[in-house]
Amino acid sequence: MKRILLLSVALCALLVPSAIAQQRTIALPDNFTPEGIASGKGDTFYAGSIESAEIFRGSYETGQGSVLVTSRPGRNHIGLKFDKRSKLLFVAGGPSKGIYVYDARTGADVRQYAFPNAGFINDVVITKRAVYATDSQVQVFYKIALDRNGQPGEATTIPITGEFIYVPGFNANGIEAVKGGKKLIMVQSGTGKLFKVDSASGNSREIELNRPVTNGDGILLRGRTLYVVQNQDEQIAVVKLRRGLRSGRVKSVIRNRSFNVPTTIAPYKRFIFAVNGRFPPNGDNRNPREDVVRVRAKGARHR
């Protein structure tokens, strides 16, 4: 009888939807002005505030959380990523021309990097040996060396050369890494082009697409599938990349009625979570509690 009871309990656990099924949207604090989102350990996520430079730590499964990093005057928080080795958060500072490093457990300041000649430091990606960040207004990217434990060291600025030519407006935005960080993928917001960039030399080559991903913002790479947020278009393009990153094809787009100028995305289980930036001209205050929106995406599991 005991064995039968245990089997029944296990079967029920498989049939009952997990808590995640209930979290189609997640509210952030009032007037939070979010832009970046990153997955942490387990069901934890982090969201950054542009204006207040706060960081919210919450649960994908319950939707509950609290402010981890309190307001930092003089800073802005744009894109951010979590390093599971060091339990550190690396945050792009946008117009405040910095990259900020926080303890993801306590919210304490760990280190900050200033780039006086920067334009708008937009998004970050973490590899085994370095953190890389884009600049949307100056034709360079930034590298912070990491030691074997993920602790940050020296910062350098690397010019972008080759086929990636900056135009008026926003340029390099979302960033991902391939081949252990030897190559980077960047999206150019204004033109909707994708580029492969050598992380050491900065030399770039366009990834030819069947159609542009205009207004490209945050990106997420899973295998050879690249998800590209198109913020003002209120959709996520699903791009299948060819080997060698010479070309790619936009296979489909993901839309959701709760999108309100989504900016960046992060993976959890079978889903992608997008944060609503509500930027003008298309952003508005409809459904103000729908700050983080869940969409299903095959192969988007958090690593």
Side-chain angles (χ1 to χ4, degrees):
M1 176 64 78
K2 182 177 180 180
R3 185 173 298 175
I4 295 174
L5 180 60
L6 290 174
L7 181 60
S8 299
V9 171
L11 182 59
C12 288
L14 290 174
L15 295 176
V16 174
S18 66
I20 187 66
Q22 307 305 316
Q23 303 307 315
R24 293 183 175 86
T25 62
I26 299 172
L28 298 175
D30 292 339
N31 303 313
F32 191 73
T33 62
E35 203 278 352
I37 186 171
S39 294
K41 183 178 179 181
D43 70 330
T44 301
F45 74 89
Y46 302 89
S49 168
I50 299 176
E51 294 182 4
S52 67
E54 296 175 313
I55 293 177
F56 178 89
R57 178 175 60 190
S59 165
Y60 286 128
E61 297 206 0
T62 68
Q64 301 301 307
S66 60
V67 172
L68 172 70
V69 177
T70 56
S71 181
R72 297 293 197 271
R75 298 185 185 183
N76 305 100
H77 289 159
I78 313 299
L80 71 163
K81 291 292 187 299
F82 169 81
D83 191 337
K84 61 183 180 181
R85 296 169 299 172
S86 60
K87 309 298 187 295
L88 295 178
L89 286 167
F90 292 83
V91 185
S96 59
K97 304 178 186 291
I99 296 175
Y100 311 113
V101 187
Y102 300 102
D103 188 314
R105 295 161 294 189
T106 67
D109 284 272
V110 173
R111 194 160 179 177
Q112 69 177 82
Y113 295 85
F115 301 92
N117 296 320
F120 189 99
I121 304 177
N122 204 322
D123 205 356
V124 293
V125 66
I126 300 173
T127 69
K128 186 176 181 180
R129 296 185 177 182
V131 174
Y132 298 94
T134 55
D135 191 317
S136 296
Q137 296 175 341
V138 180
Q139 195 165 321
V140 301
F141 63 96
Y142 308 104
K143 174 184 177 181
I144 297 174
L146 299 176
D147 67 17
R148 61 192 301 178
N149 298 314
Q151 294 299 319
E154 181 183 5
T156 54
T157 300
I158 303 173
I160 297 174
T161 59
E163 297 180 1
F164 195 164
I165 306 298
Y166 274 35
V167 298
F170 260 42
N171 290 275
N173 195 328
I175 181 172
E176 267 284 14
V178 294
K179 296 184 177 181
K182 292 183 179 180
K183 301 295 181 183
L184 304 171
I185 298 174
M186 300 181 190
V187 62
Q188 187 176 26
S189 293
T191 65
K193 294 180 179 181
L194 292 178
F195 292 88
K196 175 177 67 174
V197 182
D198 186 280
S199 64
S201 69
N203 186 53
S204 65
R205 181 168 183 168
E206 184 177 352
I207 301 171
E208 297 287 345
L209 297 177
N210 60 317
R211 58 187 174 91
V213 285
T214 311
N215 297 315
D217 203 322
I219 63 177
L220 173 68
L221 183 67
R222 285 295 178 266
R224 285 193 285 138
T225 299
L226 184 72
Y227 299 92
V228 182
V229 180
Q230 295 180 263
N231 51 36
Q232 295 291 342
D233 299 270
E234 300 195 329
Q235 64 186 30
I236 300 170
V238 183
V239 181
K240 190 68 173 181
L241 299 171
R242 294 181 62 87
R243 294 186 185 277
L245 301 179
R246 291 182 177 272
S247 64
R249 183 173 183 82
V250 179
K251 302 287 287 186
S252 61
V253 295
I254 300 170
R255 298 187 178 93
N256 189 289
R257 67 180 63 186
S258 294
F259 281 168
N260 196 336
V261 190
T263 50
T264 54
I265 50 179
Y268 180 66
K269 294 190 174 179
R270 302 182 308 278
F271 304 99
I272 284 175
F273 285 80
V275 64
N276 281 327
R278 297 188 174 87
F279 297 155
N282 293 335
D284 56 41
N285 289 321
R286 67 183 188 274
N287 301 323
R289 308 310 295 165
E290 295 182 344
D291 294 310
V292 179
V293 179
R294 186 199 77 193
V295 294
R296 187 179 296 275
K298 184 179 179 181
R301 183 174 294 275
H302 179 37
R303 295 183 294 197

